[in-house]
Amino acid sequence: DPGYGVITGASSRDEAGRQALAECRKQGNKNCKVVVRFDKCGAYASSKKNSGIGFGASEGVAKTKAMEECGTSACKIIVAECE
């Protein structure tokens, strides 16, 4: 599974990105990148070849949108969080 860093409650979107990258790198990952930032709920889905992000008023909505964008049954939710 790919590593990831999730940060909630940061003081700004830029700070959230910095903290998430640091958390990802702390897990030993060298190729970390910010894939999604959100203000309410967000989710990231991935397979070996595809990925998708989703946002919404609830975690369920965000997950559904991420899976739809990912576009294949091989995708799975990697992370889902609400602010």
Side-chain angles (χ1 to χ4, degrees), residues 46-50 74:
S46 179
S47 70
K48 287 186 178 185
K49 295 184 179 183
N50 297 350

Side-chain angles (χ1 to χ4, degrees), residues 20-21 24-25 31-36 44:
L21 286 173
C24 179
R25 290 180 185 127
N31 296 318
C32 299
K33 63 182 178 178
V34 174
V35 294
V36 63
Y44 175 67

Side-chain angles (χ1 to χ4, degrees), residues 2-7 17-34:
Y4 58 87
V6 177
I7 301 299
R18 282 191 290 277
Q19 289 180 19
L21 286 173
E23 181 65 27
C24 179
R25 290 180 185 127
K26 204 163 58 170
Q27 297 176 31
N29 299 294
K30 295 183 182 355
N31 296 318
C32 299
K33 63 182 178 178
V34 174

Side-chain angles (χ1 to χ4, degrees), residues 1-82:
D1 287 341
Y4 58 87
V6 177
I7 301 299
T8 60
S11 59
S12 70
R13 292 171 69 84
D14 288 341
E15 182 59 25
R18 282 191 290 277
Q19 289 180 19
L21 286 173
E23 181 65 27
C24 179
R25 290 180 185 127
K26 204 163 58 170
Q27 297 176 31
N29 299 294
K30 295 183 182 355
N31 296 318
C32 299
K33 63 182 178 178
V34 174
V35 294
V36 63
R37 294 183 219 190
F38 56 88
D39 295 323
K40 183 62 180 163
C41 295
Y44 175 67
S46 179
S47 70
K48 287 186 178 185
K49 295 184 179 183
N50 297 350
S51 65
I53 58 173
F55 310 95
S58 71
E59 188 174 303
V61 169
K63 286 180 177 180
T64 298
K65 289 180 179 181
M67 289 297 291
E68 287 172 355
E69 185 175 295
C70 197
T72 175
S73 61
C75 295
K76 65 179 183 176
I77 297 295
I78 302 300
V79 64
E81 292 284 331
C82 290

